[in-house]
Amino acid sequence: MSARDTRQRILTVAREAFGRGGYEATSVRSIAARAGVDQALVHRYFGTKQQLFLASLELPVDPEVVLAPVVSAPRDRLGETFIRTLLNLWDSDAEPIVLSVVRTLSASPEGAELVKGFLLHLALVHLGPRVDDPEGSAPARLSLVASQTMGLLMVRKVVRLEPLASMPVEDVVALVAPTLQHYMTGELASSAGAPRPPDHA
């Protein structure tokens, strides 16, 4: 088997394994065993587990690079910077591949696991420390951000519901950014964020 065939086999096995078991429960060791190769070979081809996961999704961009401006944005402009960055990506030359990946990943339970792993461990993971106030509220905040952005992607680019489908980017930013900003930094219901300490009379 050629190196190219071996690499593709690892990717195929990795995609199936991540889809079946989720990101956290799937180890590089188990992927190597299923692919019939040494674990060191997997690391040589793909680097870290995160890089292997990203490669298995066949995304045209690296989320860490795309979202770098968001991670470094002023805290009071996180929502605006985040949604503008995504909209510009969706409207770029990468759009057909992004949409193909979204359709593929959302077509089955295994695909749903891949979407969840992508959101939690690649796309949003670096935002966690920026929005974890009060401490422990980041998971709820990021879940809300994911629901808003995935819904927007589906309506704007897959369903293509007008007028949202053809609305200029800056108009969408103006409408959506305040909601995302609230999810990221605003006050959440006590049941959605970190537990609040009891009041003392």
Side-chain angles (χ1 to χ4, degrees), residues 3-4 17 21-22 45 95 124 129 134 142-143 164 170 175 180 186 196:
R4 182 176 180 179
Y45 280 146
E95 177 186 357
L124 299 177
L142 295 182
S143 294
L164 186 58
E170 289 306 314
L175 291 169
L180 289 175
R196 295 183 175 179

Side-chain angles (χ1 to χ4, degrees), residues 39-60:
Q39 183 177 343
L41 184 63
V42 178
H43 287 298
R44 191 174 77 188
Y45 280 146
F46 300 102
T48 65
K49 175 181 172 180
Q50 185 180 81
Q51 291 169 322
L52 173 60
F53 181 67
L54 181 61
S56 75
L57 297 180
E58 298 181 342
L59 292 174

Side-chain angles (χ1 to χ4, degrees), residues 141-170:
R141 293 184 185 280
L142 295 182
S143 294
L144 290 166
V145 169
S147 71
Q148 183 80 14
T149 52
M150 290 298 290
L152 178 61
L153 172 61
M154 295 299 290
V155 170
R156 183 171 168 88
K157 291 297 185 178
V158 179
V159 179
R160 296 190 180 275
L161 182 64
E162 296 292 355
L164 186 58
S166 56
M167 190 176 293
V169 165
E170 289 306 314

Side-chain angles (χ1 to χ4, degrees), residues 118-138:
F118 169 72
L119 290 173
L120 295 181
H121 300 285
L122 290 178
L124 299 177
V125 65
H126 299 293
L127 274 178
R130 300 285 324 268
V131 303
D132 196 31
D133 183 17
E135 186 176 352
S137 64

Side-chain angles (χ1 to χ4, degrees), residues 68-110:
V70 182
V71 175
S72 61
R75 197 166 184 272
D76 62 354
R77 297 185 63 185
L78 284 174
E80 172 191 343
T81 308
F82 181 76
I83 194 59
R84 181 181 289 113
T85 299
L86 290 188
L87 288 167
N88 286 332
L89 172 64
W90 299 343
D91 289 349
S92 72
D93 293 340
E95 177 186 357
I97 302 176
V98 171
L99 294 182
S100 174
V101 170
V102 169
R103 291 189 180 101
T104 300
L105 298 187
S106 60
S108 66
E110 292 79 12

Side-chain angles (χ1 to χ4, degrees), residues 6-76:
T6 300
R7 189 179 188 280
Q8 187 56 51
R9 175 170 174 75
I10 294 170
L11 281 179
T12 299
V13 170
R15 190 178 301 112
E16 293 172 352
F18 285 128
R20 182 169 53 250
Y23 179 88
E24 290 185 331
T26 301
S27 67
V28 174
R29 183 191 300 273
S30 67
I31 291 171
R34 291 174 186 173
V37 300
D38 189 86
Q39 183 177 343
L41 184 63
V42 178
H43 287 298
R44 191 174 77 188
Y45 280 146
F46 300 102
T48 65
K49 175 181 172 180
Q50 185 180 81
Q51 291 169 322
L52 173 60
F53 181 67
L54 181 61
S56 75
L57 297 180
E58 298 181 342
L59 292 174
V61 293
D62 184 337
E64 187 171 345
V65 174
V66 171
L67 294 176
V70 182
V71 175
S72 61
R75 197 166 184 272
D76 62 354

